[in-house]
Amino acid sequence: MNKKNKRIPWLARSVQLLALGLLASTVPAQAGESLTLLTWEEYLSDAVIERWQRETGVEIKQIYFDNGDRRDRVLAQPDHQIDLALTEMISASRFGARGLLEPLDTQQLPRLRHVPQRWRSSCGRYAVPYLWGTLGIAYRSDRIASAPRSWADLLKPARREPHIIMMEDHEDILASPLILQQHSINTSDNEELKAAFDLLVEQSGTVLTYEYAITALRSRRFLERADMALAYSGDQQVLNEVEGIEGEPWRYVVPEEGTLLWVDCLSVPSNTRNKALAYRFLDFLNRPEIAALNAADLGVATPNAAAQTLLPDEIRHDPTIYPPEDVMARSQVYEMRPLQGTQTRRRIISALINAHDAR
């Protein structure tokens, strides 16, 4: 989440101190080397990239995706040339079982000791925890009189004209209706999935697009019409930086019924030619001062326990970044499920979006 034009004072001081510390221990790599990272857009701090490139001489190249299915299609290609990929437990485990991702060599990741086992278990054998957060509702506080409190405010809005942005991700779009209907987000029960689908169909007349909110608003097509979106914690910061947005009208809330607690991970593809560099970068990201800088710059929670102690109070005590215990207690996490269950979810969302686009 780009803060180049909007860096807060304490963060500027942190960057200066980091620069001095890193310059003192610079060990340049061979000029011309690079690492290619497959990730969400603006999901790695510019300051962190600058520190890495200054220390090593290795360029970070980023390729972006805006939903998990597109990421998976890239990783399934035998000649993708990706050195590091943003994943999560389900995708990492499935691609790892197919031999497409490296089983983690923790001997090459000494700073992984700063990450508690809870988070490491959330990524499995083939990935390293990167960032975590919640799923919720982003909304325009200058257009909506009262903050949304329930998933029903998003899924059963009183206003029936199109004003909502959802997302195409077959996992996360189903989480909100399943939670509202008091079902597990991991269900493979066809009746429960059908009930969630029916609720999304009922909502679809109020939906502007199923494109990821950040991508949709940057296209400026819905800038004046969108005032609510299915979003991840931290997205509101990026939405407020979209050209044409004045002030900081986009805010974020976790509905009272509970939420999805997501954990994003980083994996090393088996066919990378830069395995040693990829591990070096993963270990670099787990330096406490680097993890703290990255998390603060992005406005997203870090799983690195040592890094959390370096964050300023306004970050550590921000409930949209580090939710209170009652929210954590009402959160669900994804678990492994049969592949058939995932295929059913993909068919459901494909049918939903095709019907919406046909109108």
Side-chain angles (χ1 to χ4, degrees):
M1 299 163 191
N2 196 338
K3 298 286 192 298
K4 286 187 290 188
N5 301 319
K6 195 176 172 183
R7 190 172 299 283
I8 49 182
W10 71 264
L11 186 55
R13 292 195 297 272
S14 298
V15 171
Q16 291 166 2
L17 291 172
L18 274 171
L20 291 173
L22 291 174
L23 282 172
S25 60
T26 296
V27 183
Q30 183 177 342
E33 287 185 305
S34 65
L35 281 173
T36 300
L37 172 63
L38 179 65
T39 184
W40 296 99
E41 188 172 0
E42 296 195 27
Y43 207 43
L44 177 63
S45 161
D46 287 342
V48 168
I49 294 173
E50 290 165 8
R51 301 286 77 78
W52 163 262
Q53 292 181 167
R54 182 179 296 176
E55 177 176 335
T56 66
V58 176
E59 180 185 4
I60 297 294
K61 298 179 179 179
Q62 298 184 72
I63 297 175
Y64 303 123
F65 61 86
D66 59 8
N67 69 62
D69 288 339
R70 292 193 177 98
R71 183 265 325 276
D72 291 352
R73 286 197 290 271
V74 173
L75 289 179
Q77 297 172 6
D79 56 349
H80 58 61
Q81 298 183 345
I82 302 297
D83 300 310
L84 284 164
L86 191 78
T87 58
E88 27 63 35
M89 164 71 93
I90 294 176
S91 64
S93 297
R94 286 182 176 155
F95 279 106
R98 292 168 57 187
L100 300 179
L101 296 178
E102 280 286 302
L104 283 182
D105 181 357
T106 56
Q107 296 298 314
Q108 297 189 56
L109 298 168
R111 293 185 180 91
L112 196 57
R113 68 182 184 275
H114 298 304
V115 179
Q117 188 59 46
R118 169 193 180 175
W119 300 116
R120 293 166 65 174
S121 297
S122 297
C123 289
R125 301 182 55 214
Y126 300 95
V128 173
Y130 177 54
L131 295 167
W132 66 272
T134 55
L135 183 72
I137 302 172
Y139 67 99
R140 287 280 302 245
S141 59
D142 57 339
R143 295 179 184 169
I144 295 179
S146 300
R149 297 183 58 187
S150 167
W151 284 116
D153 294 323
L154 181 76
L155 298 169
K156 301 179 179 181
R159 288 171 52 204
R160 299 309 299 172
E161 70 272 15
H163 65 286
I164 292 172
I165 295 176
M166 292 297 282
M167 60 177 64
E168 191 175 347
D169 189 285
H170 67 271
E171 300 284 0
D172 296 346
I173 191 175
L174 282 166
S176 53
L178 287 170
I179 292 170
L180 179 61
Q181 295 169 337
Q182 300 184 325
H183 298 313
S184 167
I185 62 172
N186 295 295
T187 185
S188 293
D189 183 279
N190 286 334
E191 290 302 313
E192 292 178 354
L193 290 172
K194 182 180 184 303
F197 170 71
D198 289 342
L199 188 51
L200 290 171
V201 169
E202 180 184 342
Q203 178 216 31
S204 64
T206 68
V207 174
L208 291 164
T209 180
Y210 292 90
E211 195 173 37
Y212 183 40
I214 292 172
T215 306
L217 290 190
R218 281 187 169 155
S219 72
R220 302 179 64 83
R221 287 175 293 142
F222 307 111
L223 207 57
E224 299 305 320
R225 301 171 65 193
D227 56 25
M228 200 181 302
L230 181 63
Y232 305 109
S233 51
D235 282 355
Q236 75 278 11
Q237 296 196 40
V238 183
L239 294 175
N240 283 326
E241 294 172 2
V242 170
E243 185 178 353
I245 298 291
E246 298 295 330
E248 298 184 348
W250 282 100
R251 297 182 184 173
Y252 175 84
V253 65
V254 171
E256 59 191 6
E257 295 89 0
T259 186
L260 154 69
L261 184 69
W262 52 261
V263 182
D264 279 338
C265 316
L266 287 168
S267 298
V268 180
S270 301
N271 65 349
T272 177
R273 298 179 181 179
N274 296 310
K275 194 173 300 181
L277 267 180
Y279 272 103
R280 183 176 175 184
F281 184 66
L282 290 177
D283 201 51
F284 170 83
L285 289 177
N286 273 306
R287 290 185 191 174
E289 70 275 16
I290 295 298
L293 177 61
N294 193 50
D297 206 3
L298 300 182
V300 183
T302 174
N304 189 307
Q308 291 179 30
T309 65
L310 302 178
L311 294 170
D313 287 346
E314 62 261 37
I315 297 291
R316 287 189 291 113
H317 297 151
D318 185 335
T320 69
I321 300 175
Y322 289 98
E325 283 304 316
D326 65 315
V327 172
M328 296 292 283
R330 289 181 283 117
S331 299
Q332 299 186 47
V333 297
Y334 284 131
E335 300 168 356
M336 289 299 296
R337 73 174 73 91
L339 181 59
Q340 182 180 357
T342 296
Q343 292 170 338
T344 298
R345 289 166 179 251
R346 286 186 172 131
R347 286 195 296 271
I348 285 174
I349 300 312
S350 178
L352 173 73
I353 294 173
N354 288 340
H356 177 273
D357 292 348
R359 283 202 296 270

